[in-house]
Amino acid sequence: MENMIEFRSVFKSYPNGTEAVSDFSLTAQPNSTTVLVGSSGCGKTTLLRMVNRMVEPTSGSILIDGKDVKDSDPVALRRSIGYVIQSGGLFPHLTVGDNVSTVLSRTECREAATELLERVGLDPALASRYPSLLSGGQQQRVGVARALATDPQILLMDEPFSAVDPIVRRELQDELLQLQNELGKTILFVTHDIAE
Ligand code: ADP
């Protein structure tokens, strides 16, 4: 499996007339990390969300391994692509374990949640806690664990580490690079921070 993402001359205008993306083309190489860097409002999130069809382009196309995403079922597409947002985007009313396993079938759940939490450097004992009782960095780790739950080959990460303090942020960045070395995902990563 290759997992190459291509944007071909993509445009996006929102119904209110905002031109968020204009003639954008890029190939994100398989099994590597591609970072979209730019100031706030320049269209990064819009681009990312077009990959899993949360946003549809006005014109142009987005291809995964040469196949236009518009020909894929949106739900199947989203299940096959991990998505991480700021603060983890966790469900506050679900425990950590349930957050991680929400995308899995019942039988897969317990074991998988334990393994996933360990993979992102968390104590599996945290599985029974609610997100509000975790630190920002821990919440973000849970968000990454959840994105990895269906073992997707592609990970979309939207400012994933922006809400945590600089030291934890550095740790999370290093861990992501290590995970990437082990797992070889195709990562599309959005940030407004040049240093990151
Ligand atoms: P970034 O991720 O780089 O901060 P976005 O992709 O979120 O940028 O937004 C690009 C532009 O499109 C901004 O001007 C933003 O206000 C606008 N925008 C984003 N989503 C919508 C929407 N649903 N409706 C109208 N305008 C939007």
Side-chain angles (χ1 to χ4, degrees):
M1 222 195 246
E2 276 244 291
N3 312 302
M4 185 167 78
I5 307 168
E6 273 179 273
F7 294 86
R8 284 199 193 152
S9 193
V10 171
F11 290 76
K12 176 65 188 179
S13 301
Y14 284 106
N16 68 358
T18 304
E19 198 180 352
V21 173
S22 176
D23 199 9
F24 180 86
S25 296
L26 174 86
T27 300
Q29 293 300 331
N31 315 119
S32 62
T33 304
T34 301
V35 181
L36 303 176
V37 195
S39 51
S40 188
C42 77
K44 306 178 297 296
T45 295
T46 298
L47 284 168
L48 203 68
R49 290 163 69 99
M50 284 196 249
V51 177
N52 64 6
R53 296 191 63 190
M54 291 168 77
V55 171
E56 300 287 354
T58 307
S59 67
S61 43
I62 296 95
L63 302 100
I64 296 177
D65 296 334
K67 186 181 170 211
D68 197 323
V69 295
K70 80 173 185 323
D71 298 326
S72 297
D73 171 61
V75 174
L77 187 71
R78 279 168 216 152
R79 269 188 69 89
S80 72
I81 297 176
Y83 184 52
V84 185
I85 59 173
Q86 208 177 85
S87 307
L90 304 178
F91 299 114
H93 60 290
L94 295 182
T95 63
V96 164
D98 289 342
N99 260 286
V100 171
S101 56
T102 179
V103 290
L104 301 174
S105 71
R106 248 166 223 286
T107 44
E108 294 170 304
C109 286
R110 285 278 161 257
E111 259 173 68
T114 300
E115 198 185 305
L116 286 161
L117 290 174
E118 281 175 344
R119 171 139 260 165
V120 297
L122 287 176
D123 182 347
L126 293 176
S128 58
R129 283 208 200 164
Y130 285 92
S132 60
L133 299 177
L134 301 185
S135 71
Q138 287 173 326
Q139 288 184 26
Q140 201 55 65
R141 285 188 165 89
V142 176
V144 174
R146 184 177 59 187
L148 293 173
T150 55
D151 197 24
Q153 285 307 307
I154 293 176
L155 273 185
L156 306 177
M157 307 189 82
D158 194 349
E159 306 260 7
F161 307 144
S162 299
V164 295
D165 68 68
I167 294 171
V168 174
R169 187 171 185 171
R170 188 61 203 253
E171 279 173 22
L172 288 168
Q173 289 165 342
D174 287 345
E175 285 171 21
L176 178 64
L177 290 175
Q178 202 184 322
L179 261 178
Q180 167 69 330
N181 276 340
E182 287 166 20
L183 304 177
K185 306 287 184 191
T186 301
I187 300 178
L188 204 50
F189 188 108
V190 158
T191 182
H192 63 269
D193 179 357
I194 293 276
E196 176 160 62

